[in-house]
Amino acid sequence: MCRLFAFVSPDHSAARRELGHDGMESLLSLARLHGDGWGWAGVTEPGSAPDARRSARSAIGDAQFDQAMDAECRAAIVHLRWATAGLPVLDCNAHPFEVDGVAFCHNGTVKPLDRLQSLLSPESVAALTGTTDSEMYFALIREQVAEGLSLHEATTRVAARLRELFPLASLNALLIDADELIVVHASATSILTEHDLSRLAPLADVLPSEHNEDYFALRWREAADGTIAVGSTGVASAGWTPLPAESVTSISLADRSVSTLELAAVHALQV
């Protein structure tokens, strides 16, 4: 499980600026739990490929994380990792994963791993660099893109298929390429396990007060200057609007126009 943040701005901005002082304080408090790595990917100008940075170190006290949060760009995604039990904390397992000009990060667990891996082509399996379900999820999307689908359509088709096969999995994810930010909000039936809750208890005093309330929710807001931001519970501030449930939203980097596809509608077309 992880925390997510993203923004798309009409002008150059930075993740730290968009979060503000209180938002950064909340993000760093979340890093006390989600301390198994961090990642950032940003697009300097629409049409240019994202620059991706990641580390298996905690974001707290990491100068490279601070530099990423201050990087000037038009759009960016940020990820704090809380490693799924049994998956190692390694640089190769840190998010975002970046391949062929697309960066991807995920908040959730898709298990069992062998069942998920069985959906991949042999070529995709051979190309895996780490051991996470998240990287496999991303590989499935890239397979659909290779067949000619747009990134938005490919992501929605994969999320709809995974929802059918793994009904309790959180599929929440962020993807960014030269042209758009994709937000997957697909976690309507996902809950924290008793094991997860036990790990949260010792940090109750340092985590944002709303952190455990609807842990998997994603919310967004549009600022006065037109900047659109997306955040997980504990990152999103009071007053942000919940994203449509079980949906995949595309936000254009060029003009911030929005298009949303529902998983149920895509699934109906596939049946």
Side-chain angles (χ1 to χ4, degrees):
M1 275 70 68
C2 309
R3 297 292 80 183
L4 305 173
F5 175 73
F7 74 87
V8 179
S9 175
D11 200 354
H12 287 114
S13 189
R16 187 188 305 274
R17 189 176 309 146
E18 294 305 326
L19 282 164
H21 178 269
D22 291 345
M24 275 300 302
E25 288 298 307
S26 290
L27 192 71
L28 291 174
S29 70
L30 291 165
R32 296 177 182 274
L33 173 66
H34 305 79
D36 297 324
W38 63 268
W40 172 97
V43 172
T44 304
E45 297 290 351
S48 62
D51 170 31
R53 311 174 193 179
R54 60 178 181 164
S55 171
R57 297 186 296 273
S58 170
I60 298 175
D62 189 332
Q64 293 185 23
F65 173 76
D66 290 335
Q67 292 169 7
M69 296 301 286
D70 289 326
E72 294 286 325
C73 54
R74 287 282 297 276
I77 61 176
V78 179
H79 182 271
L80 297 179
R81 185 181 183 219
W82 179 12
T84 299
L87 295 181
V89 178
L90 302 168
D91 285 345
C92 63
N93 285 342
H95 308 212
F97 305 95
E98 190 277 323
V99 180
D100 296 334
V102 182
F104 169 94
C105 56
H106 171 219
N107 169 31
T109 303
V110 185
K111 287 186 173 181
L113 279 176
D114 57 351
R115 187 181 185 197
L116 178 61
Q117 184 171 307
S118 72
L119 303 177
L120 293 170
S121 69
E123 294 77 14
S124 291
V125 173
L128 295 173
T129 61
T131 60
T132 67
D133 53 308
S134 302
E135 188 181 6
M136 296 177 195
Y137 180 3
F138 183 32
L140 286 169
I141 294 171
R142 299 200 313 277
E143 288 184 359
Q144 293 295 308
V145 170
E147 291 186 7
L149 294 182
S150 70
L151 185 60
H152 191 192
E153 292 170 329
T155 302
T156 309
R157 179 173 294 188
V158 169
R161 185 182 184 194
L162 293 181
R163 168 56 68 240
E164 179 184 12
L165 297 174
F166 304 92
L168 299 181
S170 170
L171 305 172
N172 289 354
L174 299 172
L175 299 90
I176 192 169
D177 68 359
D179 302 310
E180 60 188 331
L181 168 70
I182 304 289
V183 184
V184 182
H185 187 210
S187 54
T189 57
S190 306
I191 60 172
L192 291 171
T193 67
E194 290 298 324
H195 175 70
D196 295 331
L197 292 171
S198 70
R199 294 170 67 187
L200 286 169
L203 295 171
D205 293 338
V206 297
L207 294 173
S209 58
E210 72 278 14
H211 177 263
N212 295 4
E213 300 172 11
D214 202 3
Y215 176 87
F216 292 103
L218 285 175
R219 299 177 175 86
W220 59 347
R221 61 107 170 105
E222 183 173 357
D225 69 353
T227 297
I228 296 175
V230 177
S232 297
T233 304
V235 180
S237 303
W240 290 35
T241 303
L243 277 151
E246 299 299 295
S247 69
V248 181
T249 297
S250 168
I251 304 169
S252 167
L253 304 193
D255 60 10
R256 300 173 313 289
S257 57
V258 173
S259 174
T260 298
L261 298 173
E262 296 183 357
L263 300 193
V266 172
H267 175 67
L269 293 174
Q270 292 176 325
V271 175

